[in-house]
Amino acid sequence: MMTQEANRLLLAEAQDLRRSLTKRTAKDIISDKIAALIASGVLNIDDELPSERELATALDVSRETVRGAIQILAARGVVEVSQGARTRVVSTDLSGFHVGVAQHAVINSYDLETVHATRLLIERQVVSDAAENISNEALLRLRNSLRAQAECADDPVQFLICDREFHVTIYRACGNPLLADLVTDLYTYMMDYRRRVMSRSGAIAKSYQEHVAIVEALERHDRDAVLAAFGHHLDRIYVTTRSILAASGKATAKTSGEDPDSEDAV
């Protein structure tokens, strides 16, 4: 049985933890999100960040918040801010940032079949719960995200920034933060290849239309429709990733009749 002193110490630790969490500002959270984009491979070394306005639109925050987040990243040597030029990524040393449960390299060490099966298992549960629990605020963020996606139809990197925020908003709506973190990590699988896919003609438009179908189902809180829309989306990610891995010699498609140069969206 725990003593009163032990209980007092645990309570004090919990209060300290709550205080540390409440000290995190909006710019801290956005700096973590930008760091996660770097950790996952959406942004690579020497990539230029989108403008403050574009990032603010993609992440649904103010330009001032984005500016503060970039200053945090610059102070830690992750990005370089130059007068008259776009901010660019100069380091992948993201120690001290909250970028996920698992390291990106760990996720990429698994084969595609394993990741796809795991993602199907976890993500179906996550989006099913999100269909029931999603708030009006989260739905508004998703509608804002769709508008942001429509504005970057010719910019694969900016679209992927919007895409990640779109997916994470849905994952968070499930109400289970650990499951949300796990499926967010799985989402980052082979992101460098998905960047290549999004550069193909029509890929962004197809992905955008799938996102519209997902949001419409979520707005109806229609669990079956959400599962169907996400299932279609995940299957396309799987087929596309498998085809591009096969084309690069890193994997072999298990089924025949699939075009390695397919323009399926991610």
Side-chain angles (χ1 to χ4, degrees):
M1 183 178 296
M2 295 184 69
T3 65
Q4 289 185 344
E5 178 63 16
N7 282 328
R8 185 188 66 76
L9 290 173
L10 282 175
L11 179 60
E13 289 177 1
Q15 291 172 336
D16 288 342
L17 177 59
R18 283 196 295 272
R19 281 194 292 269
S20 67
L21 290 174
T22 56
K23 288 178 181 178
R24 285 177 55 75
T25 64
K27 66 182 181 180
D28 293 324
I29 294 169
I30 297 304
S31 68
D32 284 343
K33 287 190 176 186
I34 297 173
L37 293 170
I38 298 168
S40 65
V42 173
L43 293 170
N44 295 324
I45 292 286
D46 288 331
D47 277 351
E48 293 181 343
L49 268 63
S51 69
E52 288 180 2
R53 182 191 65 79
E54 291 167 336
L55 278 173
T57 300
L59 301 175
D60 201 18
V61 294
S62 70
R63 290 179 64 175
E64 290 74 16
T65 298
V66 169
R67 189 175 301 121
I70 290 174
Q71 289 171 351
I72 291 172
L73 291 159
R76 300 189 189 179
V78 177
V79 301
E80 181 179 81
V81 180
S82 301
Q83 189 69 27
R86 284 283 184 93
T87 299
R88 66 185 184 90
V89 179
V90 295
S91 173
T92 56
D93 180 3
L94 302 169
S95 54
F97 291 97
H98 301 277
V99 294
V101 177
Q103 293 182 1
H104 181 53
V106 173
I107 297 297
N108 279 351
S109 69
Y110 290 92
D111 65 87
L112 176 61
E113 306 297 331
T114 297
V115 173
H116 180 61
T118 305
R119 192 169 177 185
L120 282 175
L121 179 67
I122 299 177
E123 194 153 345
R124 283 180 58 84
Q125 182 63 54
V126 166
V127 301
S128 177
D129 290 344
E132 297 180 6
N133 300 326
I134 195 164
S135 66
N136 289 333
E137 179 184 0
L139 287 170
L140 178 59
R141 288 179 63 85
L142 292 177
R143 277 295 173 187
N144 290 341
S145 177
L146 288 178
R147 283 193 287 272
Q149 292 170 40
E151 293 179 3
C152 54
D154 299 319
D155 189 332
V157 172
Q158 189 180 344
F159 183 84
L160 281 172
I161 292 172
C162 293
D163 183 75
R164 185 183 189 280
E165 191 68 10
F166 178 86
H167 279 259
V168 171
T169 298
I170 296 172
Y171 301 155
R172 291 293 174 198
C174 79
N176 185 320
L178 179 55
L179 280 179
D181 283 343
L182 289 173
V183 77
T184 298
D185 286 339
L186 293 172
Y187 163 87
T188 68
Y189 183 70
M190 294 296 175
M191 186 58 69
D192 49 343
Y193 288 93
R194 290 168 64 190
R195 278 181 50 149
R196 289 165 53 187
V197 171
M198 296 314 295
S199 298
R200 295 174 173 178
S201 175
I204 290 177
K206 290 178 182 179
S207 192
Y208 172 78
Q209 289 302 320
E210 291 183 358
H211 288 174
V212 170
I214 290 168
V215 172
E216 289 175 348
L218 285 168
E219 287 177 331
R220 299 193 304 271
H221 298 277
D222 186 333
R223 178 179 177 275
D224 291 339
V226 171
L227 284 172
F230 249 100
H232 178 63
H233 197 47
L234 290 178
D235 284 344
R236 286 169 65 83
I237 293 171
Y238 168 65
V239 170
T240 304
T241 305
R242 185 173 65 184
S243 69
I244 203 165
L245 286 172
S248 67
K250 290 186 176 294
T252 303
K254 286 188 173 181
T255 60
S256 60
E258 290 173 355
D259 180 5
D261 294 322
S262 165
E263 294 179 348
D264 286 336
V266 297

